[in-house]
Every structure is written in structure tokens, then in C-alpha cells.
Amino acid sequence: MAAESDSKPASSGFSSAVNGGRTVEECQDMIRRSLRTPMVKFLREHLEKAGCSIGDKFINAVNCDKQVSGGYVRGDGIMVCSNHMNIQDEVDQVVIHELIHAYDDCRAANLDWANCAHHACSEIRAGHLSGDCHYKRELLRGFFKIRGHEQDCVRRRVMKSVIANPYCSEAAAKDAMEAVWDVCYNDTKPFDRAP
């Protein structure tokens, strides 16, 4: 499902895109660079090993109306919202986060994105394993806490994403997240441990 954006509004002057962000073409180039990073290569390799081959058209830059960074849709692949991207690191993070969703979808034959617990579990894993909640990223978002920042960040981002699921109310999202937290937070596959 979608990786929600906690980032600040885009600065102008970076590209020819209207209202900040990048053009689709610029973002597609950034996606190509992401595909060469070790983490993305690792995740693509493990998707292949799990029986889910992803072709060159699996990850695409698009303009998005909603305030999201990107998303994964079963059967369609990954979209990166070019108009919400400014730097390579943002694109890399979206690609990694969404590849973790694709991996979860691949390895769990019964994953139901309309099930709040299933969605919450994949969001917990993607938030924890992707580096979305690294303390430097949190600091840039204006969140600072010495202890427990990573889990607080993952919880905040899981709630934001699962609440956006039309099948999940805020209460259902919170209950689902709490019910699956320990199992999903500690599930680091395909990594040996959280990166």
C-alpha cells in the first residue's frame, strides 16, 4: 500500500516540474539509479528467489494527486510520486519501502490488503526495515527523541497509511497495529536482521 509522506513541502528551483517535485522523466531517471543501490538489488533478488519476478516496468514514476510518496498495487507494481520527490534519497526510500510490500505480497499467498491487520503488518515491516525511520530522517521531519524514536516513527507512519485504507477506521487501524506489532516488527525477512 502507499508509503505516506511526512516530508516538508517541495522547494522550488530543483527541476522543471510544476509546484515543486520532479517531472516524471526526472523521477524515472532517479528510479533507474535506485535500481543500482545495494538494498534495492538485494530486495529484487529476494523477490526473484520467492518466485516473483519483476520486470523493467514494475516501478514507475507518476504524478500523484494525493499527498503520498508512492505505493504498491498488486498486479500493477510500484508507483513513485514524482511531484513529491526532490532528491535521490527520497526516491530510494520509496522504492525500498514499496519493494518490501511487494515481497510481503509475494511470500504470503493469502495477504489481503483490505484486512487491516495484514496491511498494518506489511507497513510495520516496511517502516522498520526500509530505513524510513532512521533518526536523521526523523530529525529532518522535525521529530526528535533520544530513545524509542524508531518505534514511535514506525507507529505514526503505520497509522497514517492504514487509516488511508478505505476498509480501516482509525480505531480498527490502531487495534490491528497493536495486535500484530510484536510478530511483524520482529519479522525481518528477507534480511537476517533489521538493516
Side-chain angles (χ1 to χ4, degrees):
M1 302 309 288
E4 301 297 331
S5 172
D6 279 342
S7 61
K8 306 282 187 246
S11 303
S12 60
F14 282 102
S15 85
S16 55
V18 179
N19 298 325
R22 297 289 182 150
T23 65
V24 168
E25 295 77 20
E26 289 168 334
C27 188
Q28 203 64 51
D29 286 340
M30 295 167 93
I31 291 168
R32 279 190 277 282
R33 285 194 287 281
S34 285
L35 297 177
R36 297 192 297 260
T37 64
M39 178 84 101
V40 171
K41 283 181 177 178
F42 176 86
L43 288 167
R44 289 184 72 188
E45 178 183 312
H46 281 273
L47 271 160
E48 296 276 340
K49 285 180 182 175
C52 296
S53 62
I54 59 172
D56 292 339
K57 303 285 185 209
F58 188 76
I59 305 171
N60 293 293
V62 297
N63 278 312
C64 299
D65 295 331
K66 294 181 180 175
Q67 278 299 120
V68 296
S69 301
Y72 165 72
V73 177
R74 178 184 291 147
D76 290 340
I78 293 170
M79 62 170 184
V80 178
C81 297
S82 61
N83 52 320
H84 299 292
M85 299 292 108
N86 290 302
I87 60 173
Q88 185 65 47
D89 182 66
E90 292 171 333
V91 174
D92 295 347
Q93 281 307 120
V94 171
V95 170
I96 291 165
H97 181 107
E98 300 306 332
L99 280 171
I100 292 168
H101 289 318
Y103 178 81
D104 287 349
D105 203 29
C106 176
R107 74 177 180 146
N110 65 342
L111 195 149
D112 177 4
W113 292 104
N115 179 311
C116 303
H118 290 196
H119 185 176
C121 186
S122 191
E123 290 295 345
I124 290 165
R125 286 178 31 74
H128 179 50
L129 301 174
S130 68
D132 284 344
C133 290
H134 187 276
Y135 77 93
K136 289 179 185 172
R137 286 190 182 86
E138 278 291 85
L139 197 57
L140 291 171
R141 292 180 190 125
F143 295 99
F144 184 72
K145 185 177 172 186
I146 299 295
R147 291 188 183 273
H149 81 274
E150 197 263 354
Q151 288 193 17
D152 286 354
C153 169
V154 172
R155 288 177 189 278
R156 185 181 72 249
R157 294 172 67 85
V158 167
M159 286 299 294
K160 190 172 182 183
S161 185
V162 179
I163 288 169
N165 182 332
Y167 299 98
C168 304
S169 66
E170 185 170 350
K174 186 166 180 29
D175 289 348
M177 179 181 69
E178 295 303 333
V180 300
W181 180 267
D182 289 337
V183 169
C184 300
Y185 189 83
N186 291 306
D187 177 1
T188 62
K189 288 197 176 9
F191 305 97
D192 293 331
R193 58 182 171 75

